Amino acid sequence: MNLSPADWAAIHLTLKLASVTTVLLLVLGTPLAWWLAHTRSRWRGPVGAVVALPLVLPPTVIGFYLLVTLGPQGPLGQFTQWLGLGTLPFTFGGLVVGSLIYSLPFAVQPLQSAFEGMGTRPLEAAATLGAGPLNRFFTVAVPLTRTGFITSAILSFAHTVGEFGVVLMLGGNIPGVTRVVSVQIYDHVEALEYAQAHWLAGGMVVFAFVVLLGLNLTRRRAPSMVG
């Protein structure tokens, strides 16, 4: 395999970014998905629309507004500077923030669908047996919707691996810091290094195929898993 040290560094950074983003999305997205699945609030529609925005907005638009918001003159950028953390653009932390927003619907929507499909009867039955809210969630809801959690994790990880516009706008192209695989492929193409680009791009194609195959197998097994 004809990969340079810079290619391996980009692969390592991409896997690290996708792993951190996936874990955080599951932690943050689960209560949001639960609320969207069960609330009767009039804010359900607007909040759901905000969650889904990354599906229709160009990644460069998301990256641009994150760059402005998190930059030295932006409200969040001034807040992080006040905390003594500096600014997030062109750092790994900035990539994580951008990835969280960009991949949010891929984490929340599968979980929301799973929670809605579960219905309320299992939770009501557990409540009659004296189970508290947290106990009902972890012992009843999570096992019944584990296919949704698996789908959410796979999609979040894969979508983060494949992102380009957001990470380029927010993180730039700093070797070992913000240069992920998609940006590394772009660099190879710009330098007319097509052989190196083929290795990385081909790996991305194989990765995408494996992800889709895994999702299909997970969905086919869903009835037996829920049972």
Side-chain angles (χ1 to χ4, degrees), residues 1 3 15 19 32 36 40 50 65 80-81 90 103 111 116 132 147-148 152 156 187 211:
M1 185 177 293
L3 295 178
L15 296 177
S19 299
L32 178 57
L36 287 170
R40 296 181 180 179
V50 170
Y65 280 113
T80 56
Q81 290 180 94
F90 310 109
S103 295
L111 288 174
E116 290 172 345
T147 301
S152 176
S156 299
D187 283 351
V211 166

Side-chain angles (χ1 to χ4, degrees), residues 22 26 105-111 113-114 145-158 211 214-219 222 225:
T22 299
L26 289 176
F106 293 87
V108 171
Q109 291 185 351
L111 288 174
S113 297
T145 59
R146 60 186 177 272
T147 301
F149 279 94
I150 294 172
T151 302
S152 176
I154 292 175
L155 287 178
S156 299
F157 189 91
V211 166
L215 280 176
N216 287 333
L217 293 175
T218 299
R219 288 168 179 167
M225 292 177 69

